[in-house]
């Protein structure tokens, strides 16, 4: 459903008057999560570049397969990073998870060769920390944006229904109603949405 800006203003007023509070994508918490996500992506990109460059040059640990997995993983992380700026978090999150899945061949080699208890600290610095900085904010941002979208859609329908019940007459055509909704202003509607 395409939302009209003048009706969205009424939705904001309705939510304010009804004490409907939730974190939004234009608030500080979402911006902070985005900041952590950007740091995590840059961190991950630097180490993935160094890792793939090293694999390409040395053919360490079956370099061809690991190089392919690294490149595919980085493509997923990059696509998710770009979509995050458009607030398409529901698509960005699965792409981040797919990127993590494609990193598994690299991590599997380290885990099985070294053993879980004998992994060097650099493994966590190179792989675990950037993944945490990407996945946790990505999940949280997805929850915030999905909840916001759901609540706006729900309350948009409520406001439209109230407007319809108050202002629609049987003589109005669909075109006239559409024109009315398009030109409706919040100053006309102080009492309708309360």
């Amino acid at each position: 459903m395409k939302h009209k800006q003048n009706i969205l203003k009424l939705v904001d007023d309705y939510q304010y008057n009804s004490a409907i509070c939730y974190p939004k994508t234009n608030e500080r918490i979402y911006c902070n999560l985005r900041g952590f996500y950007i740091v995590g992506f840059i961190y991950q990109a630097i180490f993935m570049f160094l890792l793939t460059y090293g694999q390409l040059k040395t053919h360490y640990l079956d370099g061809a397969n690991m190089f392919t997995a690294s490149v595919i993983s980085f493509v997923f992380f990059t696509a998710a990073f770009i979509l995050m700026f458009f607030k398409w978090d529901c698509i960005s999150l699965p792409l981040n998870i797919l990127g993590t899945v494609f990193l598994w061949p690299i991590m599997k080699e380290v885990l099985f060769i070294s053993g879980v208890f004998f992994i060097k600290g650099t493994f966590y610095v190179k792989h675990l920390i950037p993944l945490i900085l990407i996945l946790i904010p990505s999940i949280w941002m997805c929850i915030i944006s999905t909840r916001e979208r759901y609540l706006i859609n729900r309350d948009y329908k409520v406001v439209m229904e109230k407007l319809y019940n108050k202002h629609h007459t049987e003589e109005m055509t669909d075109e006239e109603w559409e024109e009315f909704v398009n030109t409706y202003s919040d100053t006309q509607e102080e009492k309708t949405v309360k």
Side-chain angles (χ1 to χ4, degrees):
M1 172 194 307
K2 182 140 174 84
H3 296 152
K4 301 179 189 316
Q5 289 303 316
N6 58 333
I7 305 299
L8 283 174
K9 177 66 174 84
L10 295 176
V11 170
D12 284 341
D13 294 342
Y14 171 77
Q15 289 179 339
Y16 179 79
N17 293 331
S18 302
I20 300 170
C21 299
Y22 54 92
K24 298 178 182 173
T25 54
N26 60 354
E27 291 181 351
R28 178 176 228 151
I29 186 169
Y30 189 87
C31 294
N32 290 342
L33 288 167
R34 181 182 281 187
F36 281 116
Y37 183 91
I38 291 169
V39 168
F41 176 78
I42 293 169
Y43 193 153
Q44 180 82 349
I46 290 168
F47 278 110
M48 286 192 77
F49 172 76
L50 294 173
L51 182 68
T52 45
Y53 182 75
Q55 290 167 354
L56 192 62
K57 289 294 183 184
T58 63
H59 299 288
Y60 176 68
L61 294 174
D62 192 15
N65 291 336
M66 293 189 62
F67 177 77
T68 304
S70 298
V71 169
I72 292 172
S73 175
F74 186 69
V75 167
F76 280 123
F77 282 125
T78 305
F81 182 73
I82 292 167
L83 290 173
M84 179 266 305
F85 283 103
F86 296 101
K87 296 183 180 175
W88 291 358
D89 299 306
C90 291
I91 301 170
S92 180
L93 176 60
L95 289 176
N96 280 326
I97 292 170
L98 279 172
T100 305
V101 167
F102 275 95
L103 276 181
W104 175 246
I106 300 166
M107 294 187 193
K108 179 185 71 170
E109 295 290 346
V110 174
L111 288 171
F112 290 147
I113 288 174
S114 303
V116 178
F117 299 107
F118 302 104
I119 297 174
K120 293 181 180 178
T122 56
F123 170 79
Y124 299 105
V125 172
K126 291 176 185 174
H127 298 293
L128 192 62
I129 292 174
L131 284 177
I132 288 171
L133 286 172
I134 288 174
L135 289 177
I136 291 177
S138 185
I139 292 167
W140 204 344
M141 287 162 57
C142 184
I143 291 168
I144 289 172
S145 64
T146 304
R147 185 170 183 229
E148 179 186 38
R149 195 175 303 115
Y150 167 76
L151 290 172
I152 287 174
N153 286 338
R154 182 195 70 182
D155 294 339
Y156 192 91
K157 290 176 186 173
V158 169
V159 168
M160 285 298 289
E161 188 176 321
K162 289 182 183 223
L163 282 174
Y164 186 86
N165 291 338
K166 184 168 184 179
H167 298 287
H168 189 269
T169 61
E170 291 183 11
E171 295 80 27
M172 286 180 94
T173 65
D174 290 342
E175 291 78 19
E176 289 172 333
W177 173 248
E178 191 69 25
E179 179 66 24
F180 172 80
V181 170
N182 287 336
T183 58
Y184 197 79
S185 69
D186 57 336
T187 54
Q188 295 172 284
E189 193 53 33
E190 291 181 352
K191 295 179 182 177
T192 303
V193 296
K194 291 182 182 178

